[in-house]
Amino acid sequence: LGGAVRSQVRRVRVVSGEQLVERVWNELSGLRRSAIRTAETQQDAGESLARIAQAPDADARPEAASVSRQQAGVIENIQQMQEQLRRSIERAQAAAGQSQGQEQNQQQNQPQGQQQGQQGTPRDNQPAPMQDEQLQAALEAARALLDQARRDAGEASAALQRAQQAARANPQAGQQQSSEARQARAEASAEQQATQQTLEQLAEALDRGQDSWAQRRALERLAEDQAQLRERTAELDRQTTGRGAEELTPEQRRQAQDLARQQEELAQRASEAVANLQQQAERLSQNDPAMSQALRQAAQEGQRSQVSQQMQQAAQQVRENQQQQAQRSQQRAEQAIQQMLAQVRDAQRTRDATLRRELASLVQTLETLIADQRTQITRLEEARAAQANAGEAAFAGLDAPVLRLNT
């Protein structure tokens, strides 16, 4: 049947267990970025739903279909992350099995007396236990959080479908919402918020200190929660203006105590946020000096403005029914947080712009290399065509450009 057939040479790369573990961590970094993007998409969908729900003619709004599509996109992203995580878990188990095999080989090379008392190998078809406890904990947490996010996102989607069905059945859709549609939208909003929070928890669980997202998100939540507390304090002020603390009704005293307690908890979170900014600034000092400096400045701003102390003072003022003074303290704390956030966001925008410029430069370089390669291929084809007449001289000078392309 002719001469022997030579198969194409295949290169086999041997990867150690440690390299596999590092590859899994890199994959989890990608999963974390996907979780952040999906949480932002979920937040956008929630804000869109909130705008629709506030309108009297919400049942007639065509934007409701767009929110449903956004929610479906969130579910699809979560499913893709689950599949990505499944592959990462399999890779981590392979790394554990490879490390265990190396340990067994070492045991076999030991003298007989030293092998006694050591445990045997796991049964066939059972995954080897992971040696990297931090990685194992991260994988287990990611799986649980993604499962929860998938359930919450699915519940949100189902509630949106119920809202649409109720809206279509509403004969006065252009004038007022039906109670069924309003209730379904409220349920969808709650599930959307739960999905967003779970995805943010996933991003925090997979955080290895490689960026400033966790610190920025903590400040954003502080600002949001402080604004809500200030609004509730203003409402209590309207109810109790002109009264001393001893003149409040039992219900008003309960509200004041509840507000003060939540304000104290917020003060503790603010103190932790400032400390985390300082710690992350140290971690990023080598790899991202600009962001490190921004985080350090944000922490200094928090200390200078005494954001935690302002919140503590507001809590005490609420207890004493000094609601107007409390609102001023809350507003000063809120302004300080916004200033801290601005510094982190400005640094992030500068960093993103720098990365975009570097990427554009890289793309331009690659395009130039591709064009040069095509030119050399064309010259090589022309030389081959001329070889019959010119001989090997047809290839003269073709090596230098190729050498430049490969250096």
Side-chain angles (χ1 to χ4, degrees):
L1 296 178
V5 178
R6 295 182 63 183
S7 61
Q8 185 178 1
V9 176
R10 291 182 295 177
R11 296 181 179 179
V12 178
R13 182 183 179 188
V14 179
V15 181
S16 68
E18 292 80 3
Q19 289 173 318
L20 279 173
V21 168
E22 186 58 32
R23 181 179 298 180
V24 173
W25 275 118
N26 290 336
E27 291 172 353
L28 291 182
S29 294
L31 183 68
R32 177 176 177 269
R33 290 190 292 271
S34 297
I36 292 172
R37 289 193 298 270
T38 305
E40 292 172 348
T41 301
Q42 183 64 91
Q43 183 177 10
D44 291 341
E47 292 173 353
S48 298
L49 178 61
R51 286 192 295 270
I52 294 171
Q54 291 173 357
D57 61 341
D59 289 355
R61 290 293 184 95
E63 305 96 289
S66 176
V67 175
S68 294
R69 287 193 296 271
Q70 281 182 294
Q71 195 61 43
V74 169
I75 293 174
E76 182 178 356
N77 289 347
I78 293 174
Q79 290 173 334
Q80 291 174 355
M81 286 189 285
Q82 287 178 310
E83 176 60 24
Q84 180 182 346
L85 178 64
R86 182 190 64 78
R87 293 194 296 268
S88 295
I89 291 174
E90 290 178 353
R91 208 184 307 277
Q93 291 172 342
Q98 187 169 337
S99 298
Q100 192 170 59
Q102 294 172 353
E103 291 177 1
Q104 291 168 6
N105 289 335
Q106 293 173 358
Q107 292 174 11
Q108 291 172 359
N109 294 329
Q110 291 176 354
Q112 185 69 27
Q114 295 183 18
Q115 296 182 25
Q116 294 178 357
Q118 294 182 350
Q119 296 179 353
T121 62
R123 297 178 183 177
D124 293 340
N125 301 323
Q126 288 188 355
M130 296 183 199
Q131 302 299 316
D132 191 324
E133 295 182 359
Q134 184 182 7
L135 176 60
Q136 182 177 5
L139 291 170
E140 291 175 353
R143 178 160 52 188
L145 289 168
L146 279 176
D147 288 345
Q148 183 63 50
R150 176 64 184 85
R151 287 192 294 270
D152 293 339
E155 290 293 334
S157 181
L160 287 172
Q161 291 178 2
R162 291 196 300 273
Q164 287 182 306
Q165 292 171 356
R168 285 193 292 267
N170 180 12
Q172 296 180 317
Q175 288 77 39
Q176 62 182 12
Q177 302 181 45
S178 68
S179 59
E180 294 83 359
R182 184 183 296 105
Q183 177 62 30
R185 290 191 186 97
E187 293 171 0
S189 178
E191 295 297 343
Q192 287 176 326
Q193 291 177 16
T195 304
Q196 179 186 343
Q197 290 171 0
T198 302
L199 290 170
E200 289 176 352
Q201 289 174 9
L202 172 61
E204 291 171 359
L206 299 180
D207 183 17
R208 299 180 75 192
Q210 63 265 52
D211 56 37
S212 62
W213 177 84
Q215 288 71 34
R216 176 177 61 80
R217 191 67 191 106
L219 290 175
E220 289 173 344
R221 283 195 291 260
L222 271 176
E224 293 164 2
D225 293 346
Q226 183 60 85
Q228 291 176 2
L229 278 181
R230 183 164 53 83
E231 290 175 1
R232 291 173 56 192
T233 303
E235 176 59 30
L236 182 61
D237 182 34
R238 285 189 287 270
Q239 298 175 16
T240 62
T241 298
R243 301 182 187 178
E246 68 283 354
E247 298 176 292
L248 301 183
T249 67
E251 175 59 22
Q252 290 169 342
R253 281 196 293 271
R254 186 197 65 77
Q255 291 180 22
Q257 289 297 326
D258 187 47
L259 278 173
R261 178 184 56 79
Q262 292 182 46
Q263 187 65 74
E264 288 175 339
E265 292 174 357
L266 209 59
Q268 179 61 33
R269 284 170 50 194
S271 178
E272 293 171 357
V274 171
N276 289 336
L277 285 168
Q278 293 172 321
Q279 293 171 5
Q280 186 66 357
E282 291 299 322
R283 284 192 289 264
L284 294 178
S285 59
Q286 295 296 324
N287 296 331
D288 195 345
M291 180 57 71
S292 173
Q293 179 65 16
L295 295 179
R296 188 173 291 106
Q297 290 175 347
Q300 292 170 352
E301 174 63 25
Q303 293 171 335
R304 184 194 64 77
S305 60
Q306 297 183 324
V307 60
S308 180
Q309 292 89 332
Q310 291 286 351
M311 293 179 175
Q312 288 282 5
Q313 184 177 8
Q316 184 60 32
Q317 289 165 336
V318 168
R319 281 198 176 92
E320 297 173 356
N321 199 35
Q322 299 174 3
Q323 309 305 344
Q324 293 184 0
Q325 294 93 321
Q327 290 174 71
R328 285 193 287 270
S329 297
Q330 290 169 329
Q331 191 167 21
R332 285 193 293 269
E334 195 174 338
Q335 289 171 345
I337 297 170
Q338 292 295 348
Q339 181 62 32
M340 296 163 68
L341 258 176
Q343 292 173 324
V344 176
R345 287 170 174 165
D346 288 345
Q348 184 65 52
R349 281 192 289 268
T350 302
R351 181 175 180 270
D352 291 344
T354 301
L355 289 175
R356 281 193 294 269
R357 287 195 298 271
E358 292 176 352
L359 180 59
S361 176
L362 178 61
V363 169
Q364 184 177 8
T365 300
L366 289 174
E367 289 175 345
T368 301
L369 287 173
I370 291 171
D372 289 346
Q373 185 68 73
R374 286 173 177 167
T375 299
Q376 299 312 314
I377 290 173
T378 300
R379 292 184 61 191
L380 179 60
E381 291 173 348
E382 292 172 349
R384 284 175 175 171
Q387 185 179 14
N389 296 326
E392 296 300 320
F395 298 97
L398 294 182
D399 55 343
V402 174
L403 288 172
R404 285 199 300 272
L405 287 172
N406 288 277
T407 57

